């Protein structure tokens, strides 16, 4: 089986970033909104569906900010399935409009919030290896590869 394709939305509002908030035995943890592209869906379709499911948000999809590989065999963790490979495409989110409640939260997701950028070092944020990129909004390297 090949890599799973995922689209993830990056929204900034002044010095904050919009993140989905999760809770499990690790405590609170955060990721950008988004998820897997389903068969027959375009990236834009998946972008819109995932935002409605996780945030209750409509927005415009902007440019690709960066791409990264997530390969569980190279980054062993009990939170990812064995032999899991996901290609994540992070895209700019523009003109967000909150239109209702999220329609289909991910497992362990308890909501979403605007997190101050200077707090990214102090929370459990995934991908942890890209905290500096997100804080500085420095997406000069499009392909981030797979980092430990």
């Amino acid at each position: 089986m090949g890599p799973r394709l995922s689209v993830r939305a990056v929204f900034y509002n002044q010095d904050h970033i919009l993140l989905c908030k999760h809770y499990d035995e690790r405590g609170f943890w955060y990721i950008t909104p988004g998820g897997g592209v389903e068969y027959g869906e375009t990236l834009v379709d998946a972008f819109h569906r995932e935002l409605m499911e996780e945030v209750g948000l409509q927005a415009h999809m902007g440019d690709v900010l960066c791409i990264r590989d997530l390969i569980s065999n190279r980054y062993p963790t009990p939170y990812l399935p064995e032999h899991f490979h996901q290609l994540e495409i992070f895209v700019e989110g523009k003109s967000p409009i909150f239109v209702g409640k999220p329609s289909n939260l991910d497992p362990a997701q308890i909501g979403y919030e605007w997190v101050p950028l200077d707090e990214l070092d102090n929370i459990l944020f995934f991908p942890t290896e890209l905290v500096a990129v997100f804080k500085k909004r420095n997406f000069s390297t499009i392909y981030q590869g797979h980092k430990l």
Side-chain angles (χ1 to χ4, degrees):
M1 186 162 117
R4 176 180 189 252
L5 183 61
S6 173
V7 62
R8 309 216 61 86
V10 180
F11 290 92
Y12 289 108
N13 183 1
Q14 297 179 11
D15 62 344
H16 290 70
I17 185 170
L18 181 65
L19 299 177
C20 291
K21 185 175 185 177
H22 294 74
Y23 184 80
D24 61 19
E25 61 275 4
R26 296 172 285 185
F28 295 109
W29 54 276
Y30 300 82
I31 59 175
T32 56
V37 178
E38 296 176 356
Y39 178 80
E41 261 187 333
T42 66
L43 284 177
V44 174
D45 293 341
F47 171 88
H48 291 298
R49 178 182 50 76
E50 288 287 343
L51 287 177
M52 287 302 297
E53 288 179 357
E54 296 178 359
V55 186
L57 173 68
Q58 292 179 345
H60 297 286
M61 188 175 107
D63 291 333
V64 172
L65 298 173
C66 69
I67 298 169
R68 87 165 183 138
D69 280 302
L70 175 60
I71 305 169
S72 66
N73 293 7
R74 293 186 184 188
Y75 189 57
T77 171
Y79 301 102
L80 292 174
E82 190 176 3
H83 308 299
F84 180 75
H85 183 181
Q86 179 166 276
L87 188 62
E88 297 179 320
I89 301 173
F90 291 87
V91 299
E92 179 184 22
K94 295 181 173 186
S95 306
I97 300 172
F98 294 87
V99 295
K101 292 183 179 179
S103 64
N104 187 20
L105 296 178
D106 282 347
Q109 185 184 350
I110 60 171
Y112 60 88
E113 63 184 65
W114 289 99
V115 175
L117 290 172
D118 59 5
E119 289 296 315
L120 286 181
D121 290 314
N122 304 322
I123 63 172
L124 186 54
F125 170 73
F126 297 106
T128 55
E129 65 275 5
L130 297 182
V131 165
V133 171
F134 282 92
K135 279 181 68 173
K136 295 177 184 173
R137 305 179 199 198
N138 180 5
F139 298 96
S140 58
T141 302
I142 297 296
Y143 180 62
Q144 296 289 334
H146 177 83
K147 299 176 182 175
L148 296 177

